[in-house]
Amino acid sequence: MAASAHKAKTPVKSPWAATRDRAAEREEKREAVLQAAAQAFAENGYYKTSLDSIAARLGVTKPTLYYYARSKDDLITAIADRAMLQIMAAFESDEQAPALVQLQHLIRRYVEVMATDFGRCIMVTREIRLEGPGGEELRVGMRKIGQRMRDLLQQGMADGSIGPCDVRLTAFMIAGAVNEIPHWYSDDGPMSPATVAEKFANQLAAGLAPR
């Protein structure tokens, strides 16, 4: 991903800058590592990001990072996995609502996540074809998201909230549009992730509603 697509990020505040209770700060430090790594991968891509550069963002040495991740692959897998879980959290919705409303809920969350550094890392893992158990787990997650969309499209046609459509093709179109967001969305642009998400959800819903 081109670095020029995004504005310079606010440096991640390093928890190593002050001495505190180790038990209380371990999770904070891990979070800082993930945030710094997500920024680096989103700005520079996978191959131009090194553990040394991530450590430099935090003001620590590379060996310090090994306490939180064994490798660069471990880091980007953890980041993308968190983003995936944030998207799939939208699977839990009001089951009594029309399927189109539930689909809008999923699309909003999907878009919001994909407009963040963590969401961008999902696309980074796909572009590099991340291998191993982590890569396969992420691919399974993406398939689950696609299946959820297909299920809601099918339900929507059954409950009348969605007009007749090719379920498989429509799900591909929605996912394709949302997955493209990391390639054009800019943090210093005129719209927040929430605004983009709302526009996506409303526009897609308008196209899916019965004529």
Side-chain angles (χ1 to χ4, degrees), residues 98-129:
L100 180 58
V101 173
Q102 295 184 58
L103 182 59
Q104 283 181 290
H105 175 65
L106 173 57
I107 292 171
R108 286 191 192 93
R109 189 58 183 149
Y110 196 173
V111 172
E112 285 178 349
V113 173
M114 295 306 290
T116 67
D117 288 333
F118 278 70
R120 290 173 186 132
C121 287
I122 292 178
M123 299 315 298
V124 172
T125 64
R126 298 186 72 185
E127 289 163 3
I128 65 172
R129 298 180 183 275

Side-chain angles (χ1 to χ4, degrees), residues 23 39 44 52 67 69 71 74 79 91 100 112 121 136-137 151 165 175 182 190 194-195 201:
Q39 284 186 3
N44 305 313
D52 283 315
Y67 189 63
S71 66
D74 280 352
I79 292 164
F91 289 6
L100 180 58
E112 285 178 349
C121 287
E136 179 56 28
E137 184 175 342
D151 289 345
C165 66
T195 299

